[in-house]
Amino acid sequence: MHRLSSTRGRAAWLSRAAFITLVSVGCGEQPEEFGVVPVSGRITLDADPLVGAKLRFTPKAGPDSVLAGPYSYAETDADGRYSLVIARTGEAGAVSGEHTVSFEGELPPGVDADDGDVEYIYPVPDQYLSGIDFSVPGGGTDEANFDLVSN
């Protein structure tokens, strides 16, 4: 039987144990524990469907919470419609609550991401790139629509 003989040894062991416990609790959270609900909608730009737009719903942590839940993502189809899926699991939906909706860039055709400094093309006007606030209702929604306008 190994015995910790010093205060420093016990403190180091307790620190490691506390870290492992915190990591285990944080990593053990499953999306269903966050209230995942179905979310879909449509994105237009100047009243036309925004085709191939990549979007991401990132939940905002509340004042009493550090962990807000996993983000969700989607890509719009030929009619500008999308349905979110949870990033970690592929489960349909998003965490209910407040989110920042952001639009991700695409590489220009024929450009490799490994080439270093790359300029991205964005399928949406610049004023939307910092994100849009959206509240996902507890029962989900099929009307998470965004009617974007050009500069």
Side-chain angles (χ1 to χ4, degrees):
M1 176 178 207
H2 178 69
R3 198 176 128 142
L4 295 175
S5 58
S6 73
T7 303
R8 189 168 33 147
R10 272 185 244 132
W13 182 86
L14 287 172
S15 293
R16 282 193 297 272
F19 175 76
I20 290 169
T21 301
L22 285 173
V23 169
S24 298
V25 169
C27 293
E29 300 276 356
Q30 298 300 315
E32 60 271 7
E33 294 177 38
F34 291 106
V36 173
V37 294
V39 177
S40 61
R42 186 168 188 245
I43 303 175
T44 59
L45 177 60
D46 298 327
D48 293 324
L50 190 57
V51 179
K54 295 176 183 175
L55 64 153
R56 176 178 173 149
F57 277 54
T58 304
K60 296 179 181 180
D64 299 329
S65 173
V66 175
L67 189 59
Y71 73 88
S72 298
Y73 67 95
E75 184 171 343
T76 59
D77 65 15
D79 193 34
R81 298 194 181 282
Y82 69 92
S83 293
L84 292 176
V85 296
I86 299 289
R88 290 191 294 170
T89 65
E91 175 186 0
V95 174
S96 61
E98 299 300 317
H99 289 257
T100 298
V101 180
S102 57
F103 299 90
E104 298 178 3
E106 293 183 359
L107 287 171
V111 174
D112 186 356
D114 295 331
D115 288 344
D117 293 329
V118 175
E119 289 290 323
Y120 285 89
I121 304 173
Y122 291 95
V124 297
D126 291 345
Q127 71 262 29
Y128 300 107
L129 296 180
S130 60
I132 299 171
D133 291 334
F134 186 82
S135 183
V136 172
T141 184
D142 60 359
E143 295 184 12
N145 301 324
F146 299 97
D147 299 315
L148 310 180
V149 293
S150 296
N151 298 351

